[in-house]
Amino acid sequence: MSYNIFQIIKEGLKGNMGWVKTWRNPNIKKKYDVIIIGGGGHGLATAFYLAKEFNIKNIAVLEKNWIGGGNVGRNTTIIRSNYMLNENEAFYEFSLKLWEGLEKQINYNAMVSQRGVLNIFHSDAQKDSFIRRGNSMIINGADAELYDLNKIKSIYPFLDYQNARFPIKGGLFQKRGGTVRHDAVAWGYAHAADKLGVDIFQNCEVNNFKFKSGSCVGVETNRGFIKANKVGCAVAGSTSLLLSKADMVLPIESHVLQAFVSESIKPIIPGVITFGAGHFYISQSDKGGLVFGGDIDGYNSYAQRGNLDILEDVCESGLALMPSISKARLLRMWGGVMDMTMDGSPIIDKTHIKGLYMNAGWCYGGFKATPASGWCFAHLIAKDYSHSLSENFKLDRFKNGYMIDEKGQGAQPNLH
Amino acid sequence: MGEFIYYGDASLLKRPKWDDKNAEDKFYKYLYLRKNIAGIHKELWFHQQGDRSWLVVTRNTKNHEILKVELATEVVKGLDK
């Protein structure tokens, strides 16, 4: 079923009884050309682009829980392309361009809202580094503007301009950045992929791979063995666990990242704002809740729930920026398990086993990357060589010394 | 920010020697590769806001339960034997 205004009117007149499920619940075939493990944003996007752009028809997506229950529903919904390193910036700018045309392409309202992302700086040195980043963004075809203090005061009057410790000096603004309804991204990609014939299976957990003379020929699941020519893993958070079945040890640690939502309040924040003197980012959802987050908890965890000292740290940073939110009550908080890599950048690559591909290591930048990640991973699976935008996201870069360390932190995942 | 800070897998105590055979490969594995276990995990913590000791903590990464805490200096003595 395709969604449009006429359908809404028609269904409105008929008591909304004619809507069918967004995606089918098909029977598992014995064999697929491509199996994607992981029905999150990246896995579904991969399946969609494989079918749409690379003309592969016989595809299955296997999800161990339900669609939208993993990290695609556990983030702060921000999209942006404000990186400095060329390897990252070109990729994330491609992603932002795909976000801009996404809803039309998947025929689904994902509430893509380019309400602007403002990165505030608090010192002259930080201003210099933000200008440098802004120039790098512009070179890579993205948009970036430098806002001075007066401009920020006029648009964001609620920030604390009296803070002596962290004075607001200005900001780097990306107008095309913004927010997207995160679980609608998963549902939308599932809807669009299903329409192109992709089979989506929920509650279907992969327990092992099957190898035959050095090639991956299928997967063992809780619903039996499924044969496949090619298998792609898009299970960020659990990559180390899944690929340990293929005897791989990866440059990844799994860490918990928390996100928080306050009670609904009247519209106050016009876009996304980040604090430059700590780690804090905030936006306001269309329902009025303040959506915010900060650092990862900082230690290995698969628990999908976080600790209170990070909550305290995030709230302290938030109040240093905008004390007016101190009375807002916290409504919800949740944790997602992140693949934190040793350089803070992702991995989209083949493995040492023929027919087995990996898409992993999204640290906590995975949501905004969803469309480009799916596209580049689909390219890799379909053509057996990397898309030019992801050719630097190789697994062997750690061995060869070609790290993509955006923050320059070195090989310590909890600092990225 | 907290009283204790995390450093990583306790295998970091077993640093390769610079003149080992295949030292380059050993250092690559030492520095970058992690088993990233879901379950009982031995890891290094630093008592930053306390006595500044290094600790080897045995912890379940599935539910955060702490099972054992040892001084890293003691653990290293055990490794040397």
Side-chain angles (χ1 to χ4, degrees), chain A residues 251-257 278-279 281 294-300 310 313 338-345 363-365 404-416, chain B residues 1-2 4-8 12 31 34 46 48 54:
Chain A
I252 291 173
E253 286 180 3
S254 294
H255 286 255
V256 163
L257 176 68
H279 200 167
Y281 38 90
D295 270 322
I296 53 174
D297 280 26
Y299 44 84
N300 288 35
I310 280 290
D313 180 65
M338 311 286 122
D339 269 8
M340 299 300 297
T341 58
M342 291 289 164
D343 63 355
S345 295
C363 298
Y364 44 74
I404 309 167
D405 193 342
E406 185 77 27
K407 281 170 87 181
Q409 297 280 30
Q412 206 181 332
N414 62 349
L415 297 181
H416 289 295
Chain B
M1 98 206 32
F4 296 90
I5 58 168
Y6 181 74
Y7 190 61
L12 289 166
L31 188 58
R34 299 287 183 269
F46 180 52
Q48 182 183 232
W54 280 95

Side-chain angles (χ1 to χ4, degrees), chain A residues 15-284:
Chain A
N16 286 309
M17 299 304 280
W19 296 111
V20 297
K21 287 194 173 162
T22 309
W23 58 87
R24 297 163 297 133
N25 187 17
N27 292 321
I28 298 183
K29 291 185 217 162
K30 279 196 181 128
K31 194 187 169 197
Y32 288 93
D33 292 341
V34 177
I35 285 179
I36 303 296
I37 306 173
H42 292 228
L44 292 164
T46 305
F48 170 69
Y49 292 119
L50 271 172
K52 173 102 182 158
E53 306 291 340
F54 299 97
N55 215 20
I56 291 177
K57 293 299 171 217
N58 192 19
I59 306 169
V61 176
L62 312 181
E63 166 56 43
K64 72 172 173 182
N65 289 315
W66 68 92
I67 298 299
N71 288 341
V72 71
R74 293 168 184 270
N75 52 67
T76 45
T77 78
I78 298 166
I79 57 168
R80 56 185 171 88
S81 66
N82 55 0
Y83 286 72
M84 191 187 76
L85 299 179
N86 287 334
E87 295 90 336
N88 281 330
E89 180 57 17
F91 174 84
Y92 285 104
E93 175 54 24
F94 178 58
S95 203
L96 193 53
K97 289 202 172 84
L98 289 175
W99 282 118
E100 287 171 330
L102 180 75
E103 291 164 306
K104 209 170 176 182
Q105 205 178 22
I106 61 176
N107 178 231
Y108 205 90
N109 180 11
M111 296 163 69
V112 176
S113 168
Q114 294 180 290
R115 52 184 72 182
V117 174
L118 177 72
N119 302 134
I120 292 172
F121 53 79
H122 305 267
S123 67
D124 293 340
Q126 198 172 24
K127 179 181 179 180
D128 289 344
S129 84
F130 277 31
I131 290 173
R132 186 180 174 210
R133 179 147 60 100
N135 286 334
S136 176
M137 290 160 66
I138 292 166
I139 287 169
N140 280 291
D143 65 308
E145 286 169 73
L146 192 68
Y147 276 11
D148 63 13
L149 185 57
N150 286 332
K151 179 117 185 182
I152 291 185
K153 275 183 177 168
S154 68
I155 304 172
Y156 309 91
F158 50 85
L159 298 176
D160 183 5
Y161 297 97
Q162 311 297 323
N163 191 324
R165 177 73 182 82
F166 308 117
I168 294 173
K169 297 257 183 173
L172 181 68
F173 184 69
Q174 185 173 33
K175 198 176 175 191
R176 288 162 59 245
T179 59
V180 181
R181 169 79 192 273
H182 52 187
D183 32 25
V185 174
W187 301 331
Y189 271 123
H191 166 74
D194 177 86
K195 236 167 120 179
L196 293 170
V198 173
D199 286 356
I200 298 167
F201 303 106
Q202 304 184 75
N203 301 311
C204 182
E205 182 169 8
V206 171
N207 301 317
N208 214 336
F209 302 105
K210 190 157 186 184
F211 303 119
K212 203 170 165 187
S213 50
S215 300
C216 185
V217 294
V219 292
E220 297 284 356
T221 75
N222 58 353
R223 293 168 69 175
F225 174 70
I226 311 172
K227 229 171 145 182
N229 292 337
K230 293 178 176 180
V231 176
C233 306
V235 294
S238 304
T239 308
S240 299
L241 299 182
L242 182 64
L243 288 178
S244 70
K245 314 278 187 200
D247 292 327
M248 293 176 79
V249 182
L250 299 168
I252 291 173
E253 286 180 3
S254 294
H255 286 255
V256 163
L257 176 68
Q258 302 188 65
F260 311 94
V261 178
S262 79
E263 61 188 332
S264 291
I265 57 175
K266 287 195 172 172
I268 169 172
I269 302 176
V272 179
I273 304 171
T274 71
F275 181 47
H279 200 167
F280 176 78
Y281 38 90
I282 187 165
S283 64
Q284 189 167 16

Side-chain angles (χ1 to χ4, degrees), chain A residues 240-241 249-255 298-303 305 310 313 342 398-399 403 411-412 414, chain B residues 1-2 6-9 25 28 31-39 41 43 45 59 61-64:
Chain A
S240 299
L241 299 182
V249 182
L250 299 168
I252 291 173
E253 286 180 3
S254 294
H255 286 255
Y299 44 84
N300 288 35
S301 172
Y302 286 92
R305 61 181 164 76
I310 280 290
D313 180 65
M342 291 289 164
F398 298 94
K399 195 160 196 169
M403 260 65 76
Q412 206 181 332
N414 62 349
Chain B
M1 98 206 32
Y6 181 74
Y7 190 61
D9 193 306
D25 190 54
Y28 156 66
L31 188 58
Y32 295 116
L33 303 188
R34 299 287 183 269
K35 285 194 179 140
N36 197 16
I37 288 162
H41 189 235
E43 56 200 23
W45 288 80
R59 189 177 60 94
T61 58
K62 283 181 174 170
N63 59 15
H64 302 166

